[in-house]
Amino acid sequence: MPVGIIINALSVLLGGIFGAIGGRKMSNNFKDGLNMAFGICSMTMGIYAIAPMKNMAAVIFAVIIGTGIGLLIHLGDLIIRGAAKMQQLISRFVSSPTGLDQKTFDATLVTVIVLFCASGTGIYGALTEGMNGDATILISKSILDFFTAAIFAANLGYVVSLIAIPQFIIFIILFLMAHSIYPLTNPAMIFDFKAAGGVLMLATGFRMVQLKMFPTADMIPAMVIIMPISWLWMTVILPML
């Protein structure tokens, strides 16, 4: 049962409702301070995931090659376009709050959709839970997402809560895919996979505190190629050294 995915979707749903009701009372300093805390928490989760890795060379190679693939196919732009279409659908049912022009509302909503539906941490968490039932990453992410949804809902309104629906659908698909892949893996490959996900979580943390805008969406292919590279490193390259 995808407990972590359900909890994560509920955190966005309830956070959006909470923010729409009382979020306007939050000061900008309070919001900025929380965002900094979210960033350092994401970095901490990334470091925790990286620590047990077995093959550093394989992880580094996967991150570099995966990011290169993402940049070549403009994955980040494709995700933003998909989010924009999702936003158009959502906006048919929910109009922009009073005092917020439509252009600003649309641009911010696209950002929120990408954040909740296509973040490296979310994708990594859904895949991890699908592989071995570990919901820790998604449950930890849910704490951050609740307050993040509340902060965005203070400006965007109840529409933020609706993002929980596509988020749940996307993560469930990843969960089911990972559940089929897991029997083909070994413990070392799993540790390297988690380490690659940890790199994405570190990059996400840096983006959240706006120290460096890493192309986190374009880095997602690293999560696809890390396992075959890890297997290749252990079975072919290491025996040759």
Side-chain angles (χ1 to χ4, degrees), residues 39-53 59-60 62-63 119-125 127-128 137 189-207 214 216 219-220 222-223 226:
I40 199 65
C41 287
S42 180
M43 293 179 197
T44 302
M45 291 163 61
I47 294 170
Y48 178 81
I50 291 171
M53 78 176 158
V59 173
I60 291 174
V63 170
S119 70
T121 306
I123 291 172
Y124 164 56
L127 290 172
T128 298
I137 296 297
M189 291 169 65
I190 295 296
F191 282 128
D192 290 343
F193 169 77
K194 288 184 176 182
V199 173
L200 267 68
M201 284 192 283
L202 272 176
T204 300
F206 277 108
R207 282 185 67 98
F214 287 92
T216 50
M219 295 170 72
I220 289 173
M223 303 301 297
I226 176 55

Side-chain angles (χ1 to χ4, degrees), residues 99-183:
L100 197 64
D101 65 273
Q102 191 65 43
K103 184 176 180 180
T104 302
F105 174 81
D106 291 347
T108 307
L109 185 56
V110 168
T111 300
V112 180
I113 292 171
V114 172
L115 178 65
F116 289 138
C117 298
S119 70
T121 306
I123 291 172
Y124 164 56
L127 290 172
T128 298
E129 185 173 12
M131 288 181 182
N132 56 22
D134 183 7
T136 304
I137 296 297
L138 285 179
I139 291 174
S140 299
K141 179 179 179 291
S142 297
I143 299 171
L144 304 180
D145 282 358
F146 175 85
F147 292 102
T148 303
I151 290 172
F152 277 109
N155 294 323
L156 299 179
Y158 292 101
V159 66
V160 174
S161 294
L162 298 180
I163 299 175
I165 299 173
Q167 181 201 49
F168 179 80
I169 294 172
I170 291 170
F171 286 3
I172 280 292
I173 292 173
L174 293 172
F175 174 88
L176 295 174
M177 290 173 57
H179 194 68
S180 301
I181 294 171
Y182 185 68

